[in-house]
Every structure is written in C-alpha cells, then in structure tokens.
Amino acid sequence: MIRVSHLTKRYGAHTAVNDLSFHIEKGAVYGFLGPNGAGKSTTMNILTGCLSATEGEVFIAGHDIQLKPMEAKRHIGYLPEIPPVYADMTPAEYLKFVLEAKRVPRSEHQKQLADAMAKTGITYMKNRLIRNLSKGYRQRVGIAQALMGNPEIIILDEPTVGLDPVQIIEIRELIRELGRDHTVILSSHILSEVESVCDSLLIIVNGKLLAADTKENLTRRFAGESKLHLLIRGDEENVRGILNGIAGAVCIRMEETEETGVWHAVLIAKECADLRENVFTAFASAALPLLEMRTEKPTLEQMYLEMTTMAGREEQRV
C-alpha cells in the first residue's frame, strides 16, 4: 500500500530523516513511534505530500507522491498534529468544504457526512462554530475530515490529544474499526494507546528506522521472555528443590517475603513454554501450598525504552 525507499530530508546541515525505507501493507493498523525530534512528523508530511523529500521515493498505492501527487493523495486521509480546521465554519460546513476540495461526487456527500460525524461523535455539534468547540471536539472534527472521501489510507498524528478519558476510549475504538477497512498509520506518544490498537510498529530514532515488525515480535525480541511469579509456603530447601526440577523452567530468583516461610520465586521458560501446569502439578504433588501464580509479560514500554536507549548510546559513540 505504501512503499518508502531511501527517504531523506535535510534542513541545511540538519538531517531530519536519514535513508528511511519501509513497506506498509494493506488492512492493518501501524504504530509510528519515536522520541521527540525523531522525524515522525516530517516523515508523515512527506508521505502525505505536504513536504518534499531531499532524496528517496514514496509510492502510495503505486503512485509516486512527487511525480503524481493528485493520484497519490486520493488514497490518503491525514490528520496532522494540529487539526486543519477553520474556526469560522461549523463542522458541517467545514466537512462539506473538504468533500468539495477532494472532489467527492455530490451524490455521496450526505452519506459520507453523516457516517463520519456519527463515527467521531460530532453529530450534535455539527451546527456550532468550530471556534466555540472544546479542543477535544476540534480534534474529532479533524479526524472526521481525514475520513472524507473514504480513503484507503488513514494517517493520524497524535489523534487523541486534548480528549477526555471517555473520548479517548471512543476514538481508540474508532481507530480499531478503521483498521478493518483501511490501512491506518498512528503516531502517538501514549504507548498504552499504541499497544491497544496497533498490529505492527515502526520505530525511528534520529531519523533512522530501528525496527519494523509486529508488536509481539518486537516486544519478545527486545524486552526479554515472560516471567512467572510464584508465592509458595514451605521449607526453603524443599521449595528450591521443586523449582529446580520443573521441566522447561529456569529459576532466576528466589527470596523470602516479609511473611515467614513464604517464598517469592521468579521463573522464565525455555523456548517460551507455558509453565503454569508444570508448576501447579509439581507443588501439588509435594503438598506445598502455591499461594499465588502470576505471569509478567514483557511490555511495549520496556521494549521501546530498551531500543531507544541502545540507539542513543550508539549515537553518542559516533
């Protein structure tokens, strides 16, 4: 759906995007991650034709964004970090203007307006001036304009900024729904948001692509294996002996808790095996009480911090 090849953007001596190459497949939600100044917004502006590249190529649905911008842009709906709304218009007037600008046939205007306003929750605000709307509702109007023309690709830069918790949940659900019929690229600093709605991740630091994969693969690769936390009541020697005998497990820590005779143990599995049944059976056979068993899976936040920290260290060496 999108092919980026050796994309570079320079501002004088500063390189904002550095030899970036990646592919975006159809029908998935991609999270676009990176620290401030990493080049995310610059890359999005180039993908949408708002900014020209210094070097490299960008193809949208087979169309070169620089050589055939009109053809390429028909496939894109874009919400920049600051919604491009006109304060003197109502949401209904503004969205009609966007439909006209995108040259959507007038016979489709009413349906697209109604659908977009319903999805983004602005139907009851459609006749108020945008200047009188809260920041959250202005953001919703911005998302609605990205849906005009029913584009195959939706690019959202910080779409939940300024929304209250209920609105954030609603917009995240909307993004998940959009991913069923569209290719969605979501840039966000809220890692929990990316984790809840995205299928795959693109991570850039200092304008360079660090990783592009599913979030599960990246989390497993960079944040380590899952850990199984146990609370066991018993004699130290017996507990340690059972832990060392559990098939497929490695005990990386065992320590006594504040409660006398209760031990906290942490296991990791060999080859990502599920240890829970083996652990339960082992302690049940020994008649030792297993008070708690809890899985700690590697998180997106751990992975992201690990990757960006490593990249920062390598940059300092250079």
Side-chain angles (χ1 to χ4, degrees):
M1 205 68 209
I2 298 178
R3 179 166 63 86
V4 176
S5 179
H6 302 290
L7 187 67
T8 298
K9 179 62 180 179
R10 300 188 188 93
Y11 298 98
H14 173 65
T15 301
V17 178
N18 190 354
D19 196 29
L20 204 60
S21 296
F22 59 84
H23 289 78
I24 299 290
E25 302 298 332
K26 185 176 181 179
V29 180
Y30 287 80
F32 200 33
L33 293 176
N36 288 331
K40 302 188 301 299
S41 292
T42 299
T43 301
M44 287 185 162
N45 281 323
I46 294 173
L47 292 181
T48 55
C50 299
L51 193 64
S52 61
T54 304
E55 297 172 9
E57 297 176 319
V58 174
F59 288 87
I60 308 294
H63 303 290
D64 189 314
I65 193 69
Q66 294 196 51
L67 299 180
K68 297 181 178 179
M70 294 301 294
E71 291 86 342
K73 290 178 183 179
R74 287 194 182 98
H75 298 274
I76 299 172
Y78 180 39
L79 172 67
E81 189 171 357
I82 300 175
V85 296
Y86 295 117
D88 292 332
M89 288 183 172
T90 66
E93 291 170 341
Y94 171 64
L95 295 177
K96 287 178 184 177
F97 164 76
V98 174
L99 286 167
E100 293 284 355
K102 290 188 174 184
R103 299 180 181 177
V104 175
R106 293 199 173 185
S107 59
E108 299 178 18
H109 283 199
Q110 196 59 40
K111 184 178 186 307
Q112 289 204 24
L113 277 173
D115 288 348
M117 288 191 290
K119 284 181 178 179
T120 54
I122 61 172
T123 302
Y124 295 108
M125 303 289 179
K126 65 181 181 180
N127 294 320
R128 297 187 186 182
L129 288 177
I130 292 175
R131 67 151 61 98
N132 295 329
L133 298 180
S134 67
K135 183 178 180 181
Y137 273 104
R138 292 187 190 189
Q139 194 77 1
R140 286 168 173 258
V141 174
I143 296 173
Q145 69 79 28
L147 301 179
M148 295 295 95
N150 195 28
E152 298 167 83
I153 302 164
I154 306 292
I155 299 178
L156 306 172
D157 194 355
E158 303 288 347
T160 58
V161 169
L163 303 185
D164 64 40
V166 173
Q167 292 174 328
I168 288 174
I169 292 171
E170 292 172 350
I171 295 303
R172 288 179 183 175
E173 182 58 35
L174 169 59
I175 293 170
R176 281 190 282 266
E177 290 178 11
L178 291 175
R180 298 179 189 134
D181 302 313
H182 306 264
T183 299
V184 180
I185 302 176
L186 167 67
S187 174
S188 175
H189 286 97
I190 306 172
L191 293 179
S192 60
E193 180 169 273
V194 173
E195 191 164 25
S196 68
V197 302
C198 296
D199 306 305
S200 297
L201 303 177
L202 299 167
I203 302 176
I204 66 171
V205 174
N206 298 322
K208 299 178 182 179
L209 184 69
L210 285 188
D213 205 338
T214 65
K215 61 187 178 188
E216 290 81 8
N217 288 342
L218 288 174
T219 301
R220 190 180 305 115
R221 191 193 324 168
F222 289 95
E225 301 295 336
S226 297
K227 298 176 183 177
L228 187 63
H229 291 258
L230 309 173
L231 283 182
I232 311 124
R233 188 187 303 277
D235 176 79
E236 178 181 6
E237 185 177 349
N238 290 338
V239 171
R240 194 177 297 277
I242 294 171
L243 290 173
N244 290 335
I246 293 174
V250 176
C251 181
I252 61 173
R253 187 166 74 250
M254 177 176 159
E255 57 193 5
E256 192 170 18
T257 67
E258 294 180 357
E259 187 177 353
T260 302
V262 176
W263 301 88
H264 173 219
V266 182
L267 307 182
I268 60 172
K270 299 174 182 178
E271 301 179 356
C272 302
D274 187 343
L275 300 174
R276 292 173 297 178
E277 288 189 20
N278 289 347
V279 168
F280 177 83
T281 301
F283 282 99
S285 299
L288 289 181
L290 185 59
L291 305 179
E292 181 180 314
M293 183 161 52
R294 172 176 57 86
T295 300
E296 178 193 351
K297 295 185 178 181
T299 66
L300 178 62
E301 181 177 9
Q302 290 172 327
M303 177 274 295
Y304 177 76
L305 291 174
E306 177 71 18
M307 291 190 67
T308 53
T309 300
M310 289 171 55
R313 289 171 182 165
E314 292 176 2
E315 193 73 17
Q316 288 176 357
R317 293 194 194 104
V318 176

